[in-house]
Amino acid sequence: MNTGRCSSTFNSESPSRLLLAAAALLVLLAASGCAPDATRAASVAQDFHLAIAASDWSAACALLQPATREKAAGQDGGSCETGMESLHLPNAGALGVTKAYGREALVEFEGDTVFVAVSGSGWLVTAAGCTPRGESPYSCEVGGK
Amino acid sequence: MKNALKNNGLSLFFGLIFILALVGQAITGLAVFNEEQAAAGLEGINFAQYVTSSSFTVDVSENWQSEYLQFLLYIIATVWLVQKGSPESKELDNPGIESDEEQLIGEHANHKSPAWAKASGWRLTVFSNSLGATMGLIFILSWLVQSVTGQTAFNEEQLRNFQEPVPWPEYLASPDFWNRTLQNWQSEFLAVGSMVVLSIYLRQRGSPESKPVGSAHDDTGATG
């Protein structure tokens, strides 16, 4: 028995409906895009700068991505905390624009730019103390290229 | 059921190999994405995260748009342009939209003609152009999706490399967008052009895409 549109009976309109449905699915994927949570990205960057301002180096290091933490520690076998203490990161100032794409985000402050990336269920800092260099990668005090 | 499978073998076959290829693309694409993540010292993602990512969607949509553009152009171009000797072409003396009688529409429709072919006015106009319009709509949607997800994927890579992201209008004029677009277009146009020309001189016995094996090379519009 044909039960209507949900029937398993084949008909000539099915392929075009399937194609349109698939195209609609693509549009939905693009629109939702599993958009990253820019607010949480900005919040992590703010927490990082609050820790720096309070000279709480271990809290600041805990907000770094593992690879960035290693870079901050330097190559002379020191700790991340010691490395952070020796740096002179600029005062962040007021929070500006956050640009988030996929699993990466750039958080702009009045006096600094911080890069963050998704790690587990949250965000961690990949670079801080960054200044733009045109089309070249930002120059960063912590992490970066 | 057996009859249904037999009568729809062509669409089912292509539907199946489409799904297999798409799954294969997702699996290999995930491996490439995670290699890039590892190179940047970042953690990898799982399959579900990857197939809902912009990286996967842009790779899918850039191919989709070019395929639908190819068929859109082919459908429309073959109304007006002919190719001597090609089974893909109409007869040389019959370019254009043809008469109502040839198209079995309006008063020339028969009892099996679709309802809108028997109609007049906008319904007949819409149905008369529905194949090209649908292909065109899917092309536009896929290209739009490519531009949106392409911008996100591009900017994600920019940020991974500590570079400035670009806004969507700027991305539309970027080499990344047009390189993704044109590298697909050129291959589609080559494939269609090859089919038009090669089918003049070569045959595939039993295929409606070919002339009958014994047809003359200058026999136009014949299908076997």
Side-chain angles (χ1 to χ4, degrees), chain A residues 12-61:
Chain A
S12 60
E13 290 175 348
S14 295
S16 59
R17 280 186 187 161
L18 270 176
L19 286 174
L20 279 175
L25 179 67
L26 266 187
V27 174
L28 279 177
L29 272 178
S32 68
C34 293
D37 187 346
T39 312
R40 286 177 65 195
S43 168
V44 166
Q46 276 184 308
D47 289 346
F48 176 77
H49 264 297
L50 283 174
I52 296 290
S55 301
D56 187 349
W57 312 118
S58 76
C61 284

Side-chain angles (χ1 to χ4, degrees), chain B residues 133-145:
Chain B
T134 301
M135 291 293 181
L137 179 64
I138 299 176
F139 160 62
I140 293 292
L141 287 177
S142 302
W143 205 19
L144 179 66
V145 169

Side-chain angles (χ1 to χ4, degrees), chain A residues 49 52 57 83-91 111-112 128-129 141-142:
Chain A
H49 264 297
I52 296 290
W57 312 118
M84 292 296 288
E85 193 175 358
S86 66
L87 293 172
H88 299 288
L89 285 174
N91 287 326
D112 191 18
E141 295 287 329
V142 180

Side-chain angles (χ1 to χ4, degrees), chain B residues 11-48:
Chain B
S11 52
L12 287 173
F13 169 70
F14 277 100
L16 180 66
I17 60 173
F18 160 69
I19 289 167
L20 290 175
L22 190 64
V23 170
Q25 182 186 345
I27 291 169
T28 51
L30 172 63
V32 171
F33 187 90
N34 279 341
E35 278 175 10
E36 289 170 1
Q37 286 286 105
L42 300 169
E43 66 180 32
I45 59 174
N46 61 35
F47 188 78

Side-chain angles (χ1 to χ4, degrees), chain B residues 88-117:
Chain B
E88 301 293 322
S89 166
K90 298 200 287 189
E91 296 291 347
L92 301 180
D93 57 357
N94 200 26
I97 59 173
E98 302 177 8
S99 68
D100 289 1
E101 188 176 358
E102 286 171 302
Q103 288 291 313
L104 304 174
I105 54 177
E107 64 185 58
H108 303 286
N110 59 42
H111 70 284
K112 280 188 166 179
S113 296
W116 284 29

Side-chain angles (χ1 to χ4, degrees), chain A residues 61 63-72 119 124-125, chain B residues 41-43:
Chain A
C61 284
L63 290 170
L64 296 178
Q65 289 275 359
T68 312
R69 207 175 301 145
E70 279 177 28
K71 276 187 192 170
S119 176
L124 288 175
V125 173
Chain B
L42 300 169
E43 66 180 32

